[in-house]
Amino acid sequence: MDETKVRSLLGPSRPDGVPYEGLPIGRPITAATYDYLDATAPEYSRFMLQQIYFPSVTNVLAQAAGPPHWFGIPARDLRSRWRSWLTLLAMTEADNEGTFGLVPPLTGSFTRLAPGLGLGTMAYHPTARTLDGWQQADTALRDILEKDGLARVRPWSTDVAGSVTAHPIGSARMGDSPDTSALTDSNERRGHPGIFVTDGSAVPTSLTVNPSLTIAERATPTITDRAAQAGVPVRYGAPPPTP
């Protein structure tokens, strides 16, 4: 993809005379590439790249752990690192190595590190295969954005506040084999009829869209059947017409 096409698609440019550049550039979430989602490719080498928007305060506050250094001169110094940025998201395959703690923090479901950053109970130690998948996605991003000097990709790390992860999935995955999945293909807990997991933990691997509707569509028919078997007067489908 040449520079002209990238600029036209993503819009990473500013008009002349802009006095303050501490804001994101580019279009909203309108561009994504599925060129790397070849179903015949080896596992962990498949990913998608998507343009995503985060306001400037998100990037600033995510680096403001500790005392309130997010105002005055320190805030100006933080913003200087983000004069003009374009945020791209890589959705990659992982080894499902994340685990959730059993005891929540005293402050609730997470520990507040900064006004825009929280540390949850999830522990995540990526395996070599997961890291290789990340590296392949990073390489693809650099090939696109650093071509012809269009942009410079900022390094990221797995340290706290060095990266931010949203929507972890796969901790109670569905599947065909009891050896590798806790749920059946209809989101029901194996060996425990009537217990369903209907959040992102049921999804085996990263999807290219938010999975909430997919989860609901797969789970609802079986949930309705189980309720009917228990004597609950329910039916699956559109409600009857109003008289």
Side-chain angles (χ1 to χ4, degrees), residues 74-161:
R76 182 199 65 191
D77 294 339
L78 281 173
R79 288 197 301 269
S80 68
R81 307 175 195 171
W82 300 87
R83 285 178 58 84
S84 296
W85 71 89
L86 181 69
T87 305
L88 299 182
L89 169 70
M91 299 189 71
T92 65
E93 295 175 305
D95 245 340
N96 298 293
E97 56 266 62
T99 58
F100 288 91
L102 298 178
V103 181
L106 296 177
T107 53
S109 59
F110 63 90
T111 300
R112 176 72 70 183
L113 300 182
L117 185 65
L119 181 64
T121 61
M122 181 178 179
Y124 190 75
H125 304 286
T127 65
R129 292 186 294 191
T130 296
L131 291 172
D132 183 60
W134 291 356
Q135 181 62 44
Q136 293 186 55
D138 286 349
T139 299
L141 283 173
R142 290 182 183 277
D143 289 344
I144 295 171
L145 294 176
E146 295 188 348
K147 180 179 175 58
D148 300 326
L150 177 68
R152 180 172 60 86
V153 177
R154 182 181 184 274
W156 64 281
S157 73
T158 57
D159 296 335
V160 175

Side-chain angles (χ1 to χ4, degrees), residues 43 95-96 170-175 180-184 201-205:
E43 196 174 11
D95 245 340
N96 298 293
S171 58
R173 65 191 301 183
M174 66 173 70
T180 58
S181 56
L183 309 178
T184 67
S201 59
V203 181
T205 190

